[in-house]
Amino acid sequence: FYFREDRKIPLIDHLDALKGVVFHSKLGTAYEKVERFSHVARKLAEQLAPESVAHVERASLLCKCDLETGIVYEFPELQGIIGSYYAKMDGEPAEVSTAVREHYLPAHAGDSLPQGMAGALISIADRMDTLVGCFSVGLIPTGAADPYALRRHVLGILQILIQLDRSLDLDWLIREALEQVGNKRTRDAEQVVSDVKEFIRTRFVYFHTSKEFPLDVVEAVVRARFNDVVDARRRVEALSQWKKRA
């Protein structure tokens, strides 16, 4: 029943309905969130994969549309999966339908990462929007409390960037996401940039020490310079090898 009802209109036609879905009272609707991370994803594509810009733009608009479908309303765990099928049925390119599913990856620790470029870039943009948005309005994790899973989002960003193995200016990415938050921001912009970067840095240290890299090596690397995740990763690997030499 839900499938038949959903298929009466193309997936993209659900986009407008996201204007009625609140993402967070301080950060607006799901539609506004899509607008924000679509911009960041396009900028990322222009820098890292110019050949994927068109797919990234289209998939960014489609990737949250299935939240307004009957099947996802009934079975929330199918978000992204149903959207991917519907996009394919609507005749969207394979790269686009795959990105709709993959932008949710990794969904948990140990989960697989996006294999397509579009899905990877949208995943980074979506997570960065959530991270910067929350820090902009004072929704910052304290102790064990992390209601918006910001630590998990950062680990996802780190893993995807390391897998892509492409240099990216972290300051630029944070500021690009912050600019999209606009007048919803309630904290000083420079403080937000500083706090977000430090939060990512601490997650970088945790991620690498959990991968059996020595703590002193990882700390030495991030204290010397930390504005490019891939560059930092390479220096951690190199310094770890140097440390073993007589």
Side-chain angles (χ1 to χ4, degrees):
F1 168 78
Y2 285 120
F3 174 78
R4 286 198 304 271
E5 291 299 302
D6 288 345
R7 294 307 300 154
K8 287 179 179 177
I9 60 172
L11 182 64
I12 192 66
D13 285 4
H14 289 289
L15 181 62
D16 214 45
L18 293 176
K19 292 176 179 176
V21 179
V22 176
F23 167 62
H24 190 280
S25 57
K26 294 182 177 181
L27 291 167
T29 64
Y31 184 87
E32 289 174 291
K33 179 172 174 58
V34 168
E35 285 189 313
R36 291 196 300 268
F37 75 70
S38 293
H39 173 89
V40 176
R42 186 180 72 253
K43 292 288 187 180
L44 274 170
E46 288 171 358
Q47 272 203 42
L48 302 181
E51 73 283 354
S52 297
V53 170
H55 290 148
V56 166
E57 286 183 329
R58 184 63 175 173
S60 294
L61 295 177
L62 288 168
C63 66
K64 302 296 184 187
C65 287
D66 68 353
L67 296 178
E68 283 298 292
T69 62
I71 286 188
V72 171
Y73 178 81
E74 195 70 15
F75 305 104
E77 66 274 17
L78 293 181
Q79 63 184 18
I81 297 169
I82 289 301
S84 178
Y85 283 126
Y86 286 176
K88 192 174 182 180
M89 290 175 184
D90 290 341
E92 300 289 349
E95 293 88 344
V96 170
S97 60
T98 300
V100 170
R101 181 181 75 253
E102 289 192 335
H103 91 282
Y104 282 108
L105 301 177
H108 51 79
D111 195 13
S112 56
L113 300 176
Q115 296 305 303
M117 181 58 75
L121 297 182
I122 295 169
S123 181
I124 292 171
D126 186 11
R127 292 166 195 273
M128 188 58 74
D129 173 72
T130 300
L131 176 66
V132 172
C134 285
F135 270 74
S136 296
V137 295
L139 301 171
I140 303 171
T142 55
D146 187 8
Y148 303 102
L150 300 186
R151 294 185 180 98
R152 178 169 61 79
H153 283 314
V154 171
L155 284 176
I157 291 170
L158 293 174
Q159 288 175 281
I160 293 169
L161 283 174
I162 290 167
Q163 176 179 266
L164 289 177
D165 196 31
R166 305 201 184 184
S167 292
L168 181 70
D169 184 332
L170 209 51
D171 267 354
W172 169 83
L173 179 59
I174 295 168
R175 291 178 188 280
E176 197 67 43
L178 182 60
E179 192 178 313
Q180 305 314 306
V181 177
N183 59 12
K184 290 183 169 58
R185 175 173 57 81
T186 58
R187 299 178 68 232
D188 177 71
E190 290 305 313
Q191 191 62 53
V192 172
V193 172
S194 174
D195 289 350
V196 169
K197 194 170 176 183
E198 176 61 18
F199 189 70
I200 295 173
R201 190 191 69 80
T202 57
R203 291 291 93 198
F204 181 92
V205 172
Y206 166 79
F207 175 70
H208 284 83
T209 52
S210 70
K211 296 290 183 185
E212 299 179 1
F213 285 105
L215 176 60
D216 58 344
V217 166
V218 183
E219 282 287 358
V221 164
V222 298
R223 291 188 187 283
R225 183 175 75 248
F226 185 69
N227 198 43
D228 181 335
V229 171
V230 171
D231 170 61
R233 167 64 174 230
R234 289 171 183 164
R235 286 185 289 121
V236 166
E237 291 171 342
L239 191 55
S240 295
Q241 291 303 313
W242 269 85
K243 195 183 172 194
K244 294 173 185 174
R245 293 171 61 159

